[in-house]
Amino acid sequence: MAASRGRLAAVMATAALTAGLVGGCGAVHKAMDCVHTADTIADSVTDLQQAVENAAHDPGRADSALDAIEKNVRKIGDKTDDADVNKAVDDLNKAVGHVRTAIRDGDRTPDVGPVTDAAGELTKGCAK
């Protein structure tokens, strides 16, 4: 899984660099920040999936993974004016909120699929 994320990051970096050649250095820097943060979010989503699978042994781990996702999503949201990225940020925030609420309400196996899907959309938005 890490290898596929690495390949995806390389593709996104290439796309960002290509866009930068057309749009200037500021665009490259923003795109690279977005790509890096999206990759960090992907790692946090993986942590969340593992935490949910092991919730009986360490219920606090899911909260930590959700906190990490929210922190990194804020970084992207604060730095972008791209409509697709902003929509993905909003969708990811909503999905994280739903998982957090489900856990708070006692659901030991909340559906993290929407978090994974929204993180994927964010990655796509950063790569364009």
Side-chain angles (χ1 to χ4, degrees):
M1 185 180 249
S4 65
R5 269 200 306 266
R7 282 190 297 272
L8 179 60
V11 168
M12 292 185 324
T14 301
L17 289 174
T18 303
L21 293 174
V22 175
C25 292
V28 171
H29 184 62
K30 276 183 147 180
M32 292 303 292
D33 282 349
C34 189
V35 167
H36 176 70
T37 306
D39 190 46
T40 302
I41 290 170
D43 290 341
S44 297
V45 170
T46 299
D47 289 346
L48 175 62
Q49 290 168 328
Q50 292 171 350
V52 167
E53 290 172 9
N54 298 313
H57 302 293
D58 188 2
R61 185 171 167 205
D63 273 336
S64 296
L66 291 168
D67 290 344
I69 293 169
E70 287 176 329
K71 175 185 165 199
N72 287 306
V73 168
R74 266 193 305 275
K75 285 181 189 177
I76 291 175
D78 290 346
K79 292 181 180 181
T80 188
D81 56 1
D82 182 274
D84 291 336
V85 173
N86 280 325
K87 181 183 180 328
V89 163
D90 290 343
D91 290 348
L92 189 51
N93 278 326
K94 287 177 192 169
V96 165
H98 290 301
V99 171
R100 193 179 293 279
T101 299
I103 291 171
R104 207 174 313 129
D105 290 346
D107 186 349
R108 293 277 195 187
T109 57
D111 180 12
V112 297
V115 174
T116 303
D117 294 344
E121 289 302 313
L122 178 61
T123 300
K124 286 182 200 174
C126 286
K128 68 171 199 153

